[in-house]
Amino acid sequence: MSDQKVKNIFVLGLDEANLPTLQAVPGADALRFHPLLTVEELQGGEVSLPDITEKAQQVLDAFDGSIDAIVGYWDFPVSTLVPILGERYGTRTTSLESVVKCEHKYWSRLEQQKVTDCHPRFGRVDLEADPPRPPGDLRFPMWLKPALSYSSELAFGVKDEEQFRRAVDEIRKGISRVGRPFERVLDRIDVPPEMDGVGGRVCLAEESLTGIQVAVEGYVHEGEVTVYGTLDSIDYPDSPCFLRHQYPSTLPPQVITRLHDVTERVMRRIGFDSATFSVEYFYDPGSQEINLLEINPRHSQSHAELFQYVDGVPNHHPMLALALGDDPRMPHRQGPYAMAAKWYYRWFTDGVVRNVPSPEDIARIERDTPGVRIHVLPEEGQRLSDLSQQDSYSYEVAHIFTGGDDEEDMRRKYDHCVAALGLAFDEPHDGQ
């Protein structure tokens, strides 16, 4: 990082799981990390952007020292707060408009199709129609999703008209939680004519994609797009739920080159700069087609350990370097392991958690198995369906990070951790 004067970095939603990886970036001894609101304050319940902004400003205004950077690695509203606060406090960020062009799924598609045809067929769903109908000539199976959501919240895969109507009903009920505050953000920017009257509470339908899911991570620095990593996303068998993210990708080099090319064109079109991003794709080995799934205007904090294991530095490094005006370049393959993965240990039915390992138990498992980090999500006695930010199909009960020589080595470590954790679940009873 720049000079040795201590720099004050305010992290929106600073969490315990990410603090060790933030402290592992080059030059971290000259950085002081300050939490700026909790994840719960930022994403829990009905989101009120004016209230959250006001709370954040109170913390920053009361700080007796220099505010050298404001960063975040979560979705809305964190992603939009970074440029909003950056403008007020003079910290480096990409523009609010560029963030919204990524996050608003419909606007993002309109921008993508100006520079590439690597995307699914899509259209807007009229939520007021009775009965609701798929847009235009889109074919089943398809995905329905709000213009903006957390993780896979309110995203539904549908195979026929009946499932389509049920999904629309669920989206109607829940779309305002995030859609209404998002409209406050849209009010801050000039939208193009094709976005007039669209707003934040819009539902998108897209034809389903097939193939291998892959994520491309990078940053834009002084207008130049740099991709520093490509990762494979592997699902549980016969399920749309992630089993693991794996780095580096095992796709052929020519496919990775095509992914990088589309990524560069799209991020330039969006006008993104001075920030990190993550773009998700599907690659179909049969047809050789690549299709862009979505753009995240932030790097993926859940990949931080993977880059640390393989390249020697967590991917928080370019985020912090860009915010401070430093060189954001990542080292390449200088870590202790050839491959790394983030595994999602899931439970596919509701239950009440018992036998949660203590922090000491987890530390012992990590100590006994080199190249492993474990984060258990639920607490003892908690009902899985009460966990926040889960998808519609399963419950995440632990995240297990592994570094290894190859896939077999990583799977062996994962299986060992699952067995050692000893998580158990009781069937829920009424009233629990």
Side-chain angles (χ1 to χ4, degrees), residues 315-344:
N315 63 353
H316 291 317
H317 165 63
M319 171 189 73
L320 295 167
L322 287 162
L324 292 166
D326 292 328
D327 184 351
R329 273 180 300 184
M330 287 280 285
H332 187 68
R333 308 295 185 261
Q334 291 178 27
Y337 297 101
M339 300 187 86
K342 176 187 180 179
W343 301 78
Y344 293 83

Side-chain angles (χ1 to χ4, degrees), residues 263-426:
T263 302
E264 285 175 35
R265 276 187 279 145
V266 169
M267 298 315 291
R268 267 201 301 270
R269 170 70 212 174
I270 280 167
F272 206 74
D273 203 2
S274 302
T276 53
F277 62 80
S278 172
V279 187
E280 295 173 43
Y281 290 91
F282 272 94
Y283 165 64
D284 188 326
S287 66
Q288 300 284 298
E289 275 190 359
I290 62 173
N291 275 292
L292 196 157
L293 179 61
E294 66 180 26
I295 305 168
N296 300 303
R298 51 163 181 78
H299 68 291
S300 179
Q301 52 85 23
S302 67
H303 299 160
E305 285 88 350
L306 310 193
F307 285 96
Q308 189 174 3
Y309 280 153
V310 176
D311 290 332
V313 165
N315 63 353
H316 291 317
H317 165 63
M319 171 189 73
L320 295 167
L322 287 162
L324 292 166
D326 292 328
D327 184 351
R329 273 180 300 184
M330 287 280 285
H332 187 68
R333 308 295 185 261
Q334 291 178 27
Y337 297 101
M339 300 187 86
K342 176 187 180 179
W343 301 78
Y344 293 83
Y345 177 28
R346 297 178 185 270
W347 206 250
F348 286 85
T349 56
D350 199 5
V352 176
V353 187
R354 61 180 168 85
N355 294 355
V356 172
S358 67
E360 293 75 24
D361 292 334
I362 292 170
R364 180 180 46 76
I365 299 166
E366 290 176 339
R367 209 169 42 246
D368 294 348
T369 316
V372 157
R373 217 181 128 203
I374 300 164
H375 180 48
V376 175
L377 280 74
E379 294 170 6
E380 193 144 341
Q382 190 170 17
R383 187 170 175 154
L384 293 177
S385 53
D386 291 338
L387 289 169
S388 65
Q389 293 184 45
Q390 299 293 312
D391 63 32
S392 314
Y393 308 97
S394 67
Y395 306 100
E396 295 173 21
V397 294
H399 297 154
I400 299 173
F401 300 88
T402 61
D405 300 330
D406 51 31
E407 285 188 19
E408 191 182 334
D409 188 24
M410 293 196 302
R411 181 171 284 281
R412 186 178 50 75
K413 289 181 180 181
Y414 170 71
D415 290 343
H416 170 75
C417 289
V418 168
L421 284 171
L423 284 163
F425 308 91
D426 294 325

Side-chain angles (χ1 to χ4, degrees), residues 98-204:
S98 67
V99 168
V100 175
K101 282 181 183 176
C102 295
E103 292 228 300
H104 194 292
K105 291 182 170 66
Y106 181 65
W107 192 1
S108 189
R109 288 293 188 219
L110 296 179
E111 291 298 312
Q112 293 161 33
Q113 69 180 4
K114 290 170 184 171
V115 290
T116 183
D117 58 2
C118 294
H119 55 76
R121 294 182 346 137
F122 67 95
R124 284 169 60 193
V125 176
D126 183 355
L127 292 176
E128 304 301 314
D130 186 20
R133 306 281 305 172
D137 54 355
L138 261 62
R139 296 184 297 258
F140 290 107
M142 65 181 71
W143 280 87
L144 296 191
K145 50 188 90 166
L148 188 77
S149 63
Y150 300 140
S151 304
S152 300
E153 191 179 294
L154 292 182
F156 298 94
V158 298
K159 295 177 181 169
D160 54 36
E161 293 273 358
E162 187 188 341
Q163 289 186 355
F164 180 91
R165 285 194 293 272
R166 281 208 304 268
V168 168
D169 194 43
E170 289 294 317
I171 290 168
R172 277 178 185 148
K173 285 188 244 174
I175 197 166
S176 289
R177 185 175 94 80
V178 179
R180 189 183 291 120
F182 195 37
E183 285 172 350
R184 302 294 290 263
V185 178
L186 286 166
D187 289 343
R188 289 171 169 261
I189 57 181
D190 295 324
V191 297
E194 66 257 43
M195 281 292 292
D196 273 351
V198 172
R201 282 174 278 185
V202 61
C203 176
L204 189 67

